[in-house]
Amino acid sequence: MRIGLGYDVHKLVYNRHLVLGGVLIPFDKGLLGHSDADVLIHAIMDSLLGASCLGDIGKYFPDNDKRYKDISSLKLLSKVSNLIEDNKYVIENIDSTIIAEKPKLSPYIKDMRANIAKTLNINISAISIKATTEEGLGFTGSGEGIAVQSICLLNKIT
């Protein structure tokens, strides 16, 4: 049994789409990044890679590699899923918390869970996603960015 912790943060900017968990969310700002900047998927990938001692997403998808420019993070998650499987791990569960003052995310969480479960080929019941605010405090509270914390549990296939 192995536990992995992931964390990611991206700045909110104008003229970008807001994508979380592979879901396009209507909002006047989006996340800045080399890929689609899906901060939720990035934190999940880092938790999975950490639990399996395979490094972090920068090792596999460097932000200076043109192949990953504006790529869907779900495609990257699929590659991480293959790495996990190749190293004989099975995902037991993933629990993530999105930290953002706006927009309200509860209407989109079910679709996020479904996208992630489908990409990882696991049951949606193994994916938990919550959203919270920081009551106006810090960079997330002021609307400057969005952060995500993610933890996962893996088991080795014997």
Side-chain angles (χ1 to χ4, degrees):
M1 188 178 315
R2 301 187 65 119
I3 297 170
L5 179 66
Y7 175 80
D8 198 28
V9 60
H10 283 272
K11 182 179 181 176
L12 281 165
V13 296
Y14 292 103
N15 300 315
R16 288 277 296 188
H17 293 293
L18 179 58
V19 179
L20 293 170
V23 177
L24 182 60
I25 298 170
F27 194 56
D28 63 340
K29 293 180 182 178
L31 294 167
L32 182 63
H34 184 66
S35 66
D36 63 3
D38 189 328
V39 67
L40 172 60
I41 300 295
H42 294 181
I44 288 171
M45 289 190 295
D46 265 345
S47 70
L48 293 168
L49 291 167
S52 54
C53 289
L54 293 173
D56 62 26
I57 62 174
K59 175 180 176 180
Y60 297 96
F61 316 112
D63 64 5
N64 58 0
D65 190 325
K66 292 178 184 177
R67 292 178 296 170
Y68 307 120
K69 179 71 176 146
D70 297 322
I71 193 170
S72 166
S73 292
L74 287 174
K75 290 182 180 180
L76 304 180
L77 181 61
S78 180
K79 293 175 185 285
V80 168
S81 180
N82 291 337
L83 286 168
I84 299 301
E85 187 177 312
D86 292 347
N87 282 274
K88 307 288 189 240
Y89 288 103
V90 62
I91 301 167
E92 295 295 337
N93 76 302
I94 297 169
D95 183 26
S96 301
T97 303
I98 304 167
I99 305 159
E101 206 67 23
K102 292 180 183 175
K104 290 290 184 193
L105 298 173
S106 57
Y108 308 102
I109 288 178
K110 183 177 180 184
D111 290 339
M112 292 178 201
R113 291 176 64 221
N115 287 343
I116 294 163
K118 180 179 179 184
T119 302
L120 294 173
N121 197 30
I122 61 176
N123 194 295
I124 193 169
S125 66
I127 307 290
S128 172
I129 300 171
K130 303 168 305 290
T132 190
T133 69
E134 289 194 301
E135 304 298 325
L137 300 174
F139 73 92
T140 57
S142 67
E144 295 175 64
I146 295 177
V148 174
Q149 297 176 348
S150 183
I151 192 164
C152 71
L153 177 66
L154 303 182
N155 269 316
K156 190 80 167 174
I157 300 170
T158 55

